[in-house]
Amino acid sequence: MVIVLLGPPGAGKGTQCKRIVERYRLAHLSSGDILRSEKAAGTKLGRKAQRYMDCGKLVPDQIIIETMVGAIACAGGDCVLDGFPRTVVQAAELDKELAQKREKIDAVVSLVVDDDVVEERITGRRSCPVCGAVYHIDTLKPKIEGHCDKCKNQELIQRPDDKPDVVKQRLKTYHEQTTAVVGYYADNSQEILDIDADRPVDDVTAQIFEKLDSLVTAR
Ligand code: ADP
Ligand code: AMP
């Protein structure tokens, strides 16, 4: 089963993916997390991606397509894609790759939320550099301020691309290059499950589960 989760940066894709993968036993493939771990490991891919990530631009299609196609194969095909595809070229390549394996996307879930809300969410996001857990300074505080609940003494960080000036560029990039992906799926008769993501985390999860449960039951 392949689920694509669309939405602007800060919409809550990572937060919701963690819950989706638990319920439906899928692998969580976050293109941003994969690039950040390549960056942390100092690989050639990570160094190349960093140049784009740090200024809020998308890494070139060919790089991310190769990376994600490999990750999907490693996951055995059952996955939730978080942050990929982000351009029409990536969406078309993903369809092509899946078709070659006689597979297809089972659901496209789109988190719908305004820019002012996501700006506030991203600038308040704090992440654990070790386990990747995500918190928010107001809405999802760790038990001990500034420290990860799971990795005890580990201090939380603000991602360099979560600083206000880069966030503005990321939202610009999203509107210029990623919103067209919704149009691509509509043109290809792929149903899009719209979710009101301007709601508390549990309400968003409930909306997603309601739609995916009926899809899983109908399979
Ligand atoms: P994305 O993966 O789409 O970039 P995240 O899941 O990392 O977004 O969420 C961005 C920030 O917003 C995090 O700090 C997270 O705790 C917070 N957040 C996520 N969903 C909600 C929500 N429904 N309401 C309020 N804050 C949220
Ligand atoms: P994210 O963690 O999803 O917010 O992604 C962080 C950054 O990684 C983005 O701003 C891009 O620079 C890069 N990135 C992640 N996914 C993609 C993608 N599908 N295509 C191009 N760049 C990506």
Side-chain angles (χ1 to χ4, degrees):
M1 183 176 198
V2 178
I3 296 172
V4 169
L5 197 56
L6 297 177
K13 298 184 296 298
T15 303
Q16 296 301 329
C17 273
K18 290 194 174 71
R19 295 168 174 216
I20 294 171
V21 297
E22 242 178 61
R23 188 174 181 89
Y24 304 103
R25 297 180 188 283
L26 303 167
H28 177 191
L29 301 181
S30 154
S31 48
D33 283 351
I34 291 172
L35 294 175
R36 276 183 289 280
S37 54
E38 293 285 337
K39 196 173 128 182
T43 64
K44 197 172 156 199
L45 166 63
R47 287 197 302 276
K48 195 158 187 190
Q50 180 169 6
R51 295 209 298 270
Y52 300 92
M53 295 168 83
D54 286 354
C55 62
K57 303 237 166 96
L58 296 183
V59 308
D61 283 330
Q62 229 27 62
I63 296 180
I64 198 72
I65 289 165
E66 223 177 278
T67 306
M68 293 307 287
V69 166
I72 295 167
C74 283
D78 284 328
C79 56
V80 185
L81 300 176
D82 164 5
F84 178 84
R86 253 174 157 106
T87 65
V88 170
V89 171
Q90 293 176 21
E93 272 306 312
L94 174 62
D95 278 344
K96 210 167 100 188
E97 284 291 334
L98 292 173
Q100 275 172 11
K101 298 189 180 91
R102 298 185 189 288
E103 288 167 9
K104 61 173 186 55
I105 293 170
D106 294 279
V108 175
V109 177
S110 174
L111 300 186
V112 181
V113 57
D114 288 342
D115 280 10
D116 53 342
V117 177
V118 294
E119 258 190 86
E120 196 279 322
R121 284 187 191 170
I122 310 181
T123 47
R125 172 164 55 191
R126 297 294 180 270
S127 318
C128 174
V130 174
C131 72
V134 168
Y135 302 87
H136 188 278
I137 52 170
D138 297 319
T139 57
L140 191 64
K141 296 179 182 182
K143 291 192 187 94
I144 302 167
E145 200 189 327
H147 290 79
C148 181
D149 289 350
K150 294 170 204 152
C151 307
K152 296 300 172 214
N153 294 325
Q154 180 60 50
E155 277 192 36
L156 299 177
I157 56 151
Q158 183 177 38
R159 277 170 42 182
D161 60 342
D162 278 352
K163 303 250 159 69
D165 51 334
V166 189
V167 169
K168 292 238 181 287
Q169 175 58 50
R170 287 167 67 199
L171 284 171
K172 189 165 174 272
T173 302
Y174 173 76
H175 289 295
E176 285 172 357
Q177 292 178 269
T178 307
T179 48
V181 173
V182 171
Y184 167 85
Y185 285 128
D187 289 348
N188 286 279
S189 310
Q190 170 71 57
E191 189 190 0
I192 297 164
L193 308 173
D194 278 334
I195 302 293
D196 177 5
D198 189 7
R199 311 276 312 152
V201 174
D202 289 346
D203 286 9
V204 177
T205 308
Q207 291 177 65
I208 297 174
F209 284 179
E210 194 189 338
K211 301 216 168 174
L212 292 182
D213 279 357
S214 42
L215 197 118
V216 168
T217 315
R219 266 160 67 95

